[in-house]
């Protein structure tokens, strides 16, 4: 099984778990609860996709570098893994190029789930 199919499978499983958790809280007895559960889970997946996109653009690099620096200081290791933030960002470039579209599965799964919520709403 390839890396992308594992990622899509995990995203589907997380989406289904979110739907079931919302249904457990709201109840399985009304059709509107299913509509709400699918919509909320789908919207959360779309938001996760947006965060994944922003992260892949490097918006959270400062936090990753800060945590690595603090971890190095707390461990007592005097040698820093990265000399500065620009070296840290440079080390992430290859991974980002390889995983350029890692946000697309979130958007697809979330979009399908939101679409299913609209179908449920129309059928009510």
């Amino acid at each position: 099984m390839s890396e992308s199919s594992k990622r899509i499978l995990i995203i589907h499983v997380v989406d289904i778990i979110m739907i079931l958790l919302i249904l457990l809280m709201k109840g399985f007895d009304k059709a509107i609860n299913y509509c709400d559960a699918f919509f909320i889970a789908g919207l959360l997946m779309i938001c996760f996709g947006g965060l994944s996109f922003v992260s892949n653009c490097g918006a959270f690099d400062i936090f990753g570098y800060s945590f690595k620096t603090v971890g190095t200081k707390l461990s007592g290791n005097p040698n820093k893994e990265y000399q500065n933030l620009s070296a840290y960002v440079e080390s992430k470039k290859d991974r980002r190029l390889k995983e350029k579209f890692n946000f697309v599965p979130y958007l697809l799964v979330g979009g399908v789930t939101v679409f299913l919520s609209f179908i449920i709403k129309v059928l009510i």
Side-chain angles (χ1 to χ4, degrees):
M1 187 177 256
S2 70
E3 181 73 25
S4 62
S5 29
K6 285 180 187 177
R7 177 176 289 172
I8 291 173
L9 180 66
I10 290 170
I11 291 171
H12 277 295
V13 168
V14 169
D15 193 42
I16 291 169
I17 289 171
M18 282 192 299
I19 290 169
L20 291 174
L21 285 174
I22 294 167
L23 283 172
L24 280 172
M25 288 187 286
K26 290 185 149 266
F28 291 91
D29 53 343
K30 296 179 184 171
I32 194 70
N33 293 345
Y34 288 90
C35 179
D36 290 346
F38 276 81
F39 185 77
I40 293 169
L43 202 58
L44 283 173
M45 276 298 153
I46 291 172
C47 290
F48 290 153
L51 280 173
S52 178
F53 173 73
V54 170
S55 175
N56 199 30
C57 290
F60 302 121
D61 282 350
I62 187 76
F63 299 117
Y65 176 70
S66 298
F67 286 130
K68 287 240 185 234
T69 303
V70 168
T72 302
K73 298 245 188 224
L74 290 177
S75 69
N77 186 359
N79 299 329
K80 290 171 64 172
E81 188 174 348
Y82 302 103
Q83 295 302 320
N84 53 25
L85 179 60
S86 62
Y88 178 79
V89 170
E90 189 66 33
S91 71
K92 297 291 181 182
K93 276 189 179 178
D94 291 335
R95 182 189 61 85
R96 288 196 178 122
L97 287 175
K98 195 170 57 173
E99 298 178 359
K100 195 173 194 175
F101 299 106
N102 64 349
F103 63 94
V104 173
Y106 294 103
L107 298 180
L108 290 175
V109 171
V112 168
T113 308
V114 168
F115 180 73
L116 287 173
S117 76
F118 288 129
I119 297 293
I120 293 170
K121 180 67 175 168
V122 168
L123 293 176
I124 293 177

